[in-house]
Amino acid sequence: MPDPVSEKSSRRPFFAIRQPVSRYQIIVSAIGIWVVFFGIWLLATETGAVNQLLVPAPQKVLVTIYELFVERGFAADVGISIGRVIVAFLAASLVAIPLGVVMGAFPAAEAIFNPFVSAWRYLPAPSFIPVLLMWFGTGEAPKLALLFIGVVFFLITLVMDHTKNVRNELIETALTLGAGRGTIVRSVILPAVLPNIVVAMRQMLAVTWTYLVIAEIVASTTGIGAMMMRARRFLHTDEIMAGIIVIGVLGLTFDLLFDRLHRWLFPYLQEKR
């Protein structure tokens, strides 16, 4: 007789609500969506639907990426951009995580800092570029400061919200056992909120990458953004597209590394597929 469980699973719809999918389906879907994307791009350029001066063919962009790395030392620019993202993001995390945890754990701290942090979240980071250039000149400082400003206030709010969502039962139990405030924060709240902090860091790292080009197009001669601005002057759209793809690949790589870090640090939270 047919197994009813197997029969039921085989009839499960492709878009099942909140049902896990197999690793095979994940890989095929991930590859398939990119095949479709590049296929549409190639079709648009080959049929003349777009101007190849403004939208070069994907194969031309791939050749340009190869030439940039092999013949024109683009790897040095990529390394500089990665360094800027890492330094600024670590600095923002060192400020945001402790402050966000304190604000989430102590309502008095939230009452003091949250009005200030909330106001800064609504100020567009690029608007600070003229002031940062006047304060710090044209070196590395204004670029790092722009990346820092673009991330830190959002990360503070995310960490605070996650900290406030720690179950009250855990805190009340610790208080009943005689734990002090410092012990509760270190031994109860921080371990409980740490997985969500890593998730928030992963989300905000993507924001850091989005601000990278803005930070590097202003008075900069190095980095991916500076290369793209040089290409714009001479209408080298293939180089601009190459820079966009490289940033996308780097961002995806860092995102996957954070996902792997989360799985390694908190294996008990992973659902088995």
Side-chain angles (χ1 to χ4, degrees), residues 130-157:
V131 177
L132 294 175
L133 288 174
M134 288 188 291
W135 286 352
F136 302 114
T138 58
E140 287 296 304
K143 303 171 185 59
L144 297 177
L146 178 64
L147 295 175
F148 177 88
I149 293 171
V151 172
V152 65
F153 299 105
F154 289 98
L155 187 55
I156 290 172
T157 302

PDB file of all heavy atoms in Angstrom, residues 130-157:
ATOM      1  N   PRO A 130      29.516  67.387   2.840  1.00  0.00           N
ATOM      2  CA  PRO A 130      30.237  68.666   2.865  1.00  0.00           C
ATOM      3  C   PRO A 130      30.857  68.977   4.226  1.00  0.00           C
ATOM      4  O   PRO A 130      32.001  69.461   4.304  1.00  0.00           O
ATOM      5  CB  PRO A 130      29.146  69.688   2.508  1.00  0.00           C
ATOM      6  CG  PRO A 130      28.100  68.900   1.789  1.00  0.00           C
ATOM      7  CD  PRO A 130      28.103  67.554   2.436  1.00  0.00           C
ATOM      8  N   VAL A 131      30.121  68.678   5.299  1.00  0.00           N
ATOM      9  CA  VAL A 131      30.648  68.954   6.640  1.00  0.00           C
ATOM     10  C   VAL A 131      31.833  68.046   6.947  1.00  0.00           C
ATOM     11  O   VAL A 131      32.852  68.491   7.502  1.00  0.00           O
ATOM     12  CB  VAL A 131      29.534  68.771   7.692  1.00  0.00           C
ATOM     13  CG1 VAL A 131      30.088  68.982   9.092  1.00  0.00           C
ATOM     14  CG2 VAL A 131      28.388  69.721   7.427  1.00  0.00           C
ATOM     15  N   LEU A 132      31.731  66.783   6.586  1.00  0.00           N
ATOM     16  CA  LEU A 132      32.819  65.836   6.859  1.00  0.00           C
ATOM     17  C   LEU A 132      34.085  66.222   6.099  1.00  0.00           C
ATOM     18  O   LEU A 132      35.196  66.082   6.623  1.00  0.00           O
ATOM     19  CB  LEU A 132      32.384  64.414   6.481  1.00  0.00           C
ATOM     20  CG  LEU A 132      31.253  63.807   7.323  1.00  0.00           C
ATOM     21  CD1 LEU A 132      30.838  62.455   6.768  1.00  0.00           C
ATOM     22  CD2 LEU A 132      31.680  63.674   8.777  1.00  0.00           C
ATOM     23  N   LEU A 133      33.913  66.708   4.873  1.00  0.00           N
ATOM     24  CA  LEU A 133      35.078  67.145   4.102  1.00  0.00           C
ATOM     25  C   LEU A 133      35.727  68.371   4.738  1.00  0.00           C
ATOM     26  O   LEU A 133      36.962  68.507   4.747  1.00  0.00           O
ATOM     27  CB  LEU A 133      34.667  67.454   2.657  1.00  0.00           C
ATOM     28  CG  LEU A 133      34.317  66.244   1.780  1.00  0.00           C
ATOM     29  CD1 LEU A 133      33.780  66.704   0.426  1.00  0.00           C
ATOM     30  CD2 LEU A 133      35.528  65.345   1.592  1.00  0.00           C
ATOM     31  N   MET A 134      34.906  69.279   5.279  1.00  0.00           N
ATOM     32  CA  MET A 134      35.471  70.459   5.941  1.00  0.00           C
ATOM     33  C   MET A 134      36.155  70.078   7.249  1.00  0.00           C
ATOM     34  O   MET A 134      37.178  70.673   7.615  1.00  0.00           O
ATOM     35  CB  MET A 134      34.363  71.494   6.189  1.00  0.00           C
ATOM     36  CG  MET A 134      33.883  72.192   4.927  1.00  0.00           C
ATOM     37  SD  MET A 134      32.758  73.574   5.262  1.00  0.00           S
ATOM     38  CE  MET A 134      31.310  72.705   5.868  1.00  0.00           C
ATOM     39  N   TRP A 135      35.599  69.104   7.949  1.00  0.00           N
ATOM     40  CA  TRP A 135      36.183  68.701   9.223  1.00  0.00           C
ATOM     41  C   TRP A 135      37.450  67.862   9.059  1.00  0.00           C
ATOM     42  O   TRP A 135      38.435  68.061   9.755  1.00  0.00           O
ATOM     43  CB  TRP A 135      35.154  67.898  10.023  1.00  0.00           C
ATOM     44  CG  TRP A 135      34.056  68.720  10.613  1.00  0.00           C
ATOM     45  CD1 TRP A 135      33.963  70.079  10.646  1.00  0.00           C
ATOM     46  CD2 TRP A 135      32.860  68.221  11.239  1.00  0.00           C
ATOM     47  NE1 TRP A 135      32.798  70.462  11.268  1.00  0.00           N
ATOM     48  CE2 TRP A 135      32.105  69.346  11.645  1.00  0.00           C
ATOM     49  CE3 TRP A 135      32.378  66.945  11.499  1.00  0.00           C
ATOM     50  CZ2 TRP A 135      30.886  69.226  12.300  1.00  0.00           C
ATOM     51  CZ3 TRP A 135      31.156  66.819  12.143  1.00  0.00           C
ATOM     52  CH2 TRP A 135      30.416  67.943  12.538  1.00  0.00           C
ATOM     53  N   PHE A 136      37.387  66.891   8.147  1.00  0.00           N
ATOM     54  CA  PHE A 136      38.457  65.889   8.071  1.00  0.00           C
ATOM     55  C   PHE A 136      39.309  65.959   6.819  1.00  0.00           C
ATOM     56  O   PHE A 136      40.258  65.170   6.677  1.00  0.00           O
ATOM     57  CB  PHE A 136      37.846  64.478   8.162  1.00  0.00           C
ATOM     58  CG  PHE A 136      37.055  64.235   9.409  1.00  0.00           C
ATOM     59  CD1 PHE A 136      35.685  64.034   9.349  1.00  0.00           C
ATOM     60  CD2 PHE A 136      37.681  64.214  10.655  1.00  0.00           C
ATOM     61  CE1 PHE A 136      34.944  63.798  10.502  1.00  0.00           C
ATOM     62  CE2 PHE A 136      36.949  63.990  11.806  1.00  0.00           C
ATOM     63  CZ  PHE A 136      35.579  63.781  11.736  1.00  0.00           C
ATOM     64  N   GLY A 137      38.984  66.842   5.868  1.00  0.00           N
ATOM     65  CA  GLY A 137      39.769  66.900   4.646  1.00  0.00           C
ATOM     66  C   GLY A 137      39.350  65.804   3.675  1.00  0.00           C
ATOM     67  O   GLY A 137      38.215  65.328   3.693  1.00  0.00           O
ATOM     68  N   THR A 138      40.294  65.387   2.825  1.00  0.00           N
ATOM     69  CA  THR A 138      39.965  64.431   1.762  1.00  0.00           C
ATOM     70  C   THR A 138      40.633  63.076   1.972  1.00  0.00           C
ATOM     71  O   THR A 138      40.746  62.289   1.028  1.00  0.00           O
ATOM     72  CB  THR A 138      40.403  64.994   0.399  1.00  0.00           C
ATOM     73  OG1 THR A 138      41.818  65.262   0.437  1.00  0.00           O
ATOM     74  CG2 THR A 138      39.635  66.266   0.069  1.00  0.00           C
ATOM     75  N   GLY A 139      41.068  62.775   3.186  1.00  0.00           N
ATOM     76  CA  GLY A 139      41.720  61.489   3.448  1.00  0.00           C
ATOM     77  C   GLY A 139      40.713  60.387   3.707  1.00  0.00           C
ATOM     78  O   GLY A 139      39.571  60.405   3.223  1.00  0.00           O
ATOM     79  N   GLU A 140      41.127  59.442   4.531  1.00  0.00           N
ATOM     80  CA  GLU A 140      40.271  58.293   4.836  1.00  0.00           C
ATOM     81  C   GLU A 140      39.168  58.644   5.841  1.00  0.00           C
ATOM     82  O   GLU A 140      38.098  58.032   5.831  1.00  0.00           O
ATOM     83  CB  GLU A 140      41.120  57.150   5.401  1.00  0.00           C
ATOM     84  CG  GLU A 140      41.991  56.453   4.373  1.00  0.00           C
ATOM     85  CD  GLU A 140      41.137  55.754   3.318  1.00  0.00           C
ATOM     86  OE1 GLU A 140      40.288  54.919   3.672  1.00  0.00           O
ATOM     87  OE2 GLU A 140      41.327  56.058   2.126  1.00  0.00           O
ATOM     88  N   ALA A 141      39.433  59.617   6.705  1.00  0.00           N
ATOM     89  CA  ALA A 141      38.513  59.909   7.809  1.00  0.00           C
ATOM     90  C   ALA A 141      37.090  60.218   7.348  1.00  0.00           C
ATOM     91  O   ALA A 141      36.130  59.665   7.903  1.00  0.00           O
ATOM     92  CB  ALA A 141      39.064  61.046   8.670  1.00  0.00           C
ATOM     93  N   PRO A 142      36.868  61.104   6.346  1.00  0.00           N
ATOM     94  CA  PRO A 142      35.472  61.398   5.964  1.00  0.00           C
ATOM     95  C   PRO A 142      34.751  60.190   5.383  1.00  0.00           C
ATOM     96  O   PRO A 142      33.536  60.044   5.575  1.00  0.00           O
ATOM     97  CB  PRO A 142      35.608  62.516   4.930  1.00  0.00           C
ATOM     98  CG  PRO A 142      36.999  62.412   4.428  1.00  0.00           C
ATOM     99  CD  PRO A 142      37.812  61.942   5.587  1.00  0.00           C
ATOM    100  N   LYS A 143      35.457  59.316   4.695  1.00  0.00           N
ATOM    101  CA  LYS A 143      34.827  58.122   4.122  1.00  0.00           C
ATOM    102  C   LYS A 143      34.393  57.173   5.231  1.00  0.00           C
ATOM    103  O   LYS A 143      33.264  56.655   5.239  1.00  0.00           O
ATOM    104  CB  LYS A 143      35.799  57.424   3.170  1.00  0.00           C
ATOM    105  CG  LYS A 143      36.303  58.321   2.040  1.00  0.00           C
ATOM    106  CD  LYS A 143      37.401  57.650   1.270  1.00  0.00           C
ATOM    107  CE  LYS A 143      37.993  58.575   0.220  1.00  0.00           C
ATOM    108  NZ  LYS A 143      38.568  59.816   0.757  1.00  0.00           N
ATOM    109  N   LEU A 144      35.288  56.947   6.194  1.00  0.00           N
ATOM    110  CA  LEU A 144      34.944  56.069   7.316  1.00  0.00           C
ATOM    111  C   LEU A 144      33.836  56.682   8.162  1.00  0.00           C
ATOM    112  O   LEU A 144      32.939  55.967   8.639  1.00  0.00           O
ATOM    113  CB  LEU A 144      36.189  55.811   8.168  1.00  0.00           C
ATOM    114  CG  LEU A 144      37.348  55.076   7.480  1.00  0.00           C
ATOM    115  CD1 LEU A 144      38.540  54.964   8.420  1.00  0.00           C
ATOM    116  CD2 LEU A 144      36.911  53.691   7.011  1.00  0.00           C
ATOM    117  N   ALA A 145      33.879  57.997   8.349  1.00  0.00           N
ATOM    118  CA  ALA A 145      32.849  58.660   9.150  1.00  0.00           C
ATOM    119  C   ALA A 145      31.483  58.548   8.480  1.00  0.00           C
ATOM    120  O   ALA A 145      30.463  58.327   9.150  1.00  0.00           O
ATOM    121  CB  ALA A 145      33.213  60.131   9.357  1.00  0.00           C
ATOM    122  N   LEU A 146      31.436  58.684   7.150  1.00  0.00           N
ATOM    123  CA  LEU A 146      30.161  58.568   6.438  1.00  0.00           C
ATOM    124  C   LEU A 146      29.585  57.160   6.584  1.00  0.00           C
ATOM    125  O   LEU A 146      28.384  56.989   6.848  1.00  0.00           O
ATOM    126  CB  LEU A 146      30.360  58.908   4.964  1.00  0.00           C
ATOM    127  CG  LEU A 146      29.110  58.792   4.087  1.00  0.00           C
ATOM    128  CD1 LEU A 146      28.049  59.793   4.523  1.00  0.00           C
ATOM    129  CD2 LEU A 146      29.461  58.995   2.616  1.00  0.00           C
ATOM    130  N   LEU A 147      30.425  56.140   6.420  1.00  0.00           N
ATOM    131  CA  LEU A 147      29.963  54.755   6.589  1.00  0.00           C
ATOM    132  C   LEU A 147      29.498  54.516   8.022  1.00  0.00           C
ATOM    133  O   LEU A 147      28.490  53.840   8.256  1.00  0.00           O
ATOM    134  CB  LEU A 147      31.089  53.783   6.221  1.00  0.00           C
ATOM    135  CG  LEU A 147      31.542  53.794   4.754  1.00  0.00           C
ATOM    136  CD1 LEU A 147      32.737  52.865   4.566  1.00  0.00           C
ATOM    137  CD2 LEU A 147      30.418  53.394   3.827  1.00  0.00           C
ATOM    138  N   PHE A 148      30.213  55.073   8.977  1.00  0.00           N
ATOM    139  CA  PHE A 148      29.850  54.930  10.397  1.00  0.00           C
ATOM    140  C   PHE A 148      28.492  55.560  10.673  1.00  0.00           C
ATOM    141  O   PHE A 148      27.610  54.939  11.276  1.00  0.00           O
ATOM    142  CB  PHE A 148      30.938  55.577  11.257  1.00  0.00           C
ATOM    143  CG  PHE A 148      30.646  55.558  12.729  1.00  0.00           C
ATOM    144  CD1 PHE A 148      31.029  54.490  13.511  1.00  0.00           C
ATOM    145  CD2 PHE A 148      29.994  56.627  13.340  1.00  0.00           C
ATOM    146  CE1 PHE A 148      30.766  54.469  14.876  1.00  0.00           C
ATOM    147  CE2 PHE A 148      29.725  56.626  14.696  1.00  0.00           C
ATOM    148  CZ  PHE A 148      30.121  55.533  15.460  1.00  0.00           C
ATOM    149  N   ILE A 149      28.297  56.792  10.209  1.00  0.00           N
ATOM    150  CA  ILE A 149      27.039  57.502  10.452  1.00  0.00           C
ATOM    151  C   ILE A 149      25.871  56.785   9.779  1.00  0.00           C
ATOM    152  O   ILE A 149      24.762  56.714  10.324  1.00  0.00           O
ATOM    153  CB  ILE A 149      27.144  58.960   9.955  1.00  0.00           C
ATOM    154  CG1 ILE A 149      28.134  59.745  10.809  1.00  0.00           C
ATOM    155  CG2 ILE A 149      25.781  59.643   9.964  1.00  0.00           C
ATOM    156  CD1 ILE A 149      28.458  61.122  10.271  1.00  0.00           C
ATOM    157  N   GLY A 150      26.107  56.223   8.611  1.00  0.00           N
ATOM    158  CA  GLY A 150      25.045  55.568   7.884  1.00  0.00           C
ATOM    159  C   GLY A 150      24.543  54.291   8.533  1.00  0.00           C
ATOM    160  O   GLY A 150      23.446  53.823   8.208  1.00  0.00           O
ATOM    161  N   VAL A 151      25.323  53.727   9.458  1.00  0.00           N
ATOM    162  CA  VAL A 151      24.988  52.421  10.038  1.00  0.00           C
ATOM    163  C   VAL A 151      24.668  52.492  11.524  1.00  0.00           C
ATOM    164  O   VAL A 151      23.734  51.840  12.002  1.00  0.00           O
ATOM    165  CB  VAL A 151      26.151  51.427   9.800  1.00  0.00           C
ATOM    166  CG1 VAL A 151      25.933  50.130  10.563  1.00  0.00           C
ATOM    167  CG2 VAL A 151      26.314  51.134   8.328  1.00  0.00           C
ATOM    168  N   VAL A 152      25.404  53.273  12.280  1.00  0.00           N
ATOM    169  CA  VAL A 152      25.419  53.131  13.730  1.00  0.00           C
ATOM    170  C   VAL A 152      24.054  53.360  14.374  1.00  0.00           C
ATOM    171  O   VAL A 152      23.642  52.612  15.270  1.00  0.00           O
ATOM    172  CB  VAL A 152      26.479  54.066  14.354  1.00  0.00           C
ATOM    173  CG1 VAL A 152      26.140  55.540  14.142  1.00  0.00           C
ATOM    174  CG2 VAL A 152      26.667  53.761  15.842  1.00  0.00           C
ATOM    175  N   PHE A 153      23.301  54.360  13.928  1.00  0.00           N
ATOM    176  CA  PHE A 153      22.040  54.687  14.597  1.00  0.00           C
ATOM    177  C   PHE A 153      20.958  53.642  14.315  1.00  0.00           C
ATOM    178  O   PHE A 153      20.143  53.338  15.185  1.00  0.00           O
ATOM    179  CB  PHE A 153      21.584  56.085  14.191  1.00  0.00           C
ATOM    180  CG  PHE A 153      22.564  57.162  14.580  1.00  0.00           C
ATOM    181  CD1 PHE A 153      23.366  57.766  13.619  1.00  0.00           C
ATOM    182  CD2 PHE A 153      22.712  57.529  15.902  1.00  0.00           C
ATOM    183  CE1 PHE A 153      24.288  58.739  13.985  1.00  0.00           C
ATOM    184  CE2 PHE A 153      23.629  58.504  16.275  1.00  0.00           C
ATOM    185  CZ  PHE A 153      24.418  59.105  15.310  1.00  0.00           C
ATOM    186  N   PHE A 154      20.958  53.097  13.104  1.00  0.00           N
ATOM    187  CA  PHE A 154      20.016  52.012  12.808  1.00  0.00           C
ATOM    188  C   PHE A 154      20.364  50.763  13.607  1.00  0.00           C
ATOM    189  O   PHE A 154      19.474  50.061  14.105  1.00  0.00           O
ATOM    190  CB  PHE A 154      20.029  51.703  11.312  1.00  0.00           C
ATOM    191  CG  PHE A 154      19.402  52.768  10.469  1.00  0.00           C
ATOM    192  CD1 PHE A 154      20.184  53.721   9.844  1.00  0.00           C
ATOM    193  CD2 PHE A 154      18.033  52.816  10.302  1.00  0.00           C
ATOM    194  CE1 PHE A 154      19.613  54.715   9.069  1.00  0.00           C
ATOM    195  CE2 PHE A 154      17.440  53.800   9.527  1.00  0.00           C
ATOM    196  CZ  PHE A 154      18.236  54.755   8.903  1.00  0.00           C
ATOM    197  N   LEU A 155      21.649  50.480  13.724  1.00  0.00           N
ATOM    198  CA  LEU A 155      22.069  49.284  14.469  1.00  0.00           C
ATOM    199  C   LEU A 155      21.735  49.427  15.946  1.00  0.00           C
ATOM    200  O   LEU A 155      21.319  48.446  16.590  1.00  0.00           O
ATOM    201  CB  LEU A 155      23.571  49.053  14.269  1.00  0.00           C
ATOM    202  CG  LEU A 155      24.133  47.747  14.839  1.00  0.00           C
ATOM    203  CD1 LEU A 155      23.382  46.537  14.305  1.00  0.00           C
ATOM    204  CD2 LEU A 155      25.625  47.633  14.500  1.00  0.00           C
ATOM    205  N   ILE A 156      21.908  50.610  16.502  1.00  0.00           N
ATOM    206  CA  ILE A 156      21.528  50.834  17.904  1.00  0.00           C
ATOM    207  C   ILE A 156      20.057  50.500  18.120  1.00  0.00           C
ATOM    208  O   ILE A 156      19.685  49.805  19.067  1.00  0.00           O
ATOM    209  CB  ILE A 156      21.807  52.297  18.311  1.00  0.00           C
ATOM    210  CG1 ILE A 156      23.303  52.560  18.400  1.00  0.00           C
ATOM    211  CG2 ILE A 156      21.155  52.620  19.662  1.00  0.00           C
ATOM    212  CD1 ILE A 156      23.658  54.025  18.601  1.00  0.00           C
ATOM    213  N   THR A 157      19.198  50.979  17.228  1.00  0.00           N
ATOM    214  CA  THR A 157      17.758  50.755  17.372  1.00  0.00           C
ATOM    215  C   THR A 157      17.406  49.276  17.246  1.00  0.00           C
ATOM    216  O   THR A 157      16.584  48.749  18.014  1.00  0.00           O
ATOM    217  CB  THR A 157      16.992  51.572  16.316  1.00  0.00           C
ATOM    218  OG1 THR A 157      17.324  52.957  16.467  1.00  0.00           O
ATOM    219  CG2 THR A 157      15.494  51.406  16.486  1.00  0.00           C
TER     220      THR A 157
END
